Amino acid sequence: MSQPIRSGGRIDAVPPGERGNTRDNNSDGERGSLSLFFAVIAACLLMVIGLTYDGASKVRATQRADLAAAEAARAAGQQLAIGPSVTGGNTTARLDPAAAAQAANRYLATAGITGSATTTGNTVTVTTSVPWKPTLLSMFGVGPQTIEGHASAQAVSGLTEGER
């Protein structure tokens, strides 16, 4: 430590250049409050970014599941029973249930999507499942989910009243 310096009749224990922090020590109760504020704001911003990013990826997964179900239902809806509806004896289209389910399952297997097809009368209904895993929201406890898609198609003869 340096020798005390005499200035203006008083003795300074520490030279002016070595004084360090000259702040009032009464504000120590607020130390770190700004850091806490920024930590909370940063966590909130990360959550908002996560909701935006992972929300968009969940929408894409839902669209993928629905579109795959719709395409599989379309492929299944084209599987008509060969018989009077084709040879001209009966003008009502009939769906071949076994061929429709097989066509839907074949499409889903080709697309790499898990799903199932059921037929009721001339209507085929396809349900698909697509896995979705959040990227950023997993830090906040949101885990992987299975997104389901649904679609149905109906075999008809000619145009129906609503399609004209």
Side-chain angles (χ1 to χ4, degrees):
M1 186 163 170
S2 308
Q3 292 292 327
I5 299 174
R6 187 180 261 314
S7 65
R10 71 171 217 245
I11 297 177
D12 290 331
V14 179
E18 298 179 16
R19 287 209 170 127
N21 188 359
T22 59
R23 285 182 46 190
D24 188 347
N25 286 339
N26 293 335
S27 66
D28 280 343
E30 295 180 15
R31 288 189 75 117
S33 62
L34 197 57
S35 298
L36 178 63
F37 173 76
F38 281 121
V40 169
I41 292 297
C44 289
L45 284 175
L46 187 60
M47 189 175 288
V48 167
I49 292 169
L51 283 171
T52 304
Y53 182 79
D54 287 339
S57 73
K58 188 170 183 178
V59 167
R60 283 191 305 273
T62 303
Q63 288 176 337
R64 183 171 183 234
D66 285 338
L67 290 175
E71 287 300 315
R74 182 202 52 79
Q78 294 177 352
Q79 305 304 312
L80 299 177
I82 304 295
S85 62
V86 175
T87 60
N90 183 356
T91 58
T92 304
R94 283 189 21 244
L95 193 63
D96 182 355
Q102 185 180 21
N105 290 330
R106 185 173 43 249
Y107 178 85
L108 292 175
T110 302
I113 304 238
T114 306
S116 63
T118 58
T119 56
T120 306
N122 275 349
T123 303
V124 59
T125 302
V126 179
T127 302
T128 58
S129 299
V130 174
W132 175 73
K133 183 177 183 227
T135 304
L136 297 173
L137 291 181
S138 59
M139 291 185 280
F140 298 100
V142 178
Q145 299 175 6
T146 300
I147 308 297
E148 289 192 356
H150 306 278
S152 61
Q154 185 175 9
V156 295
S157 299
L159 296 175
T160 61
E161 197 62 35
E163 295 176 338
R164 291 183 186 177

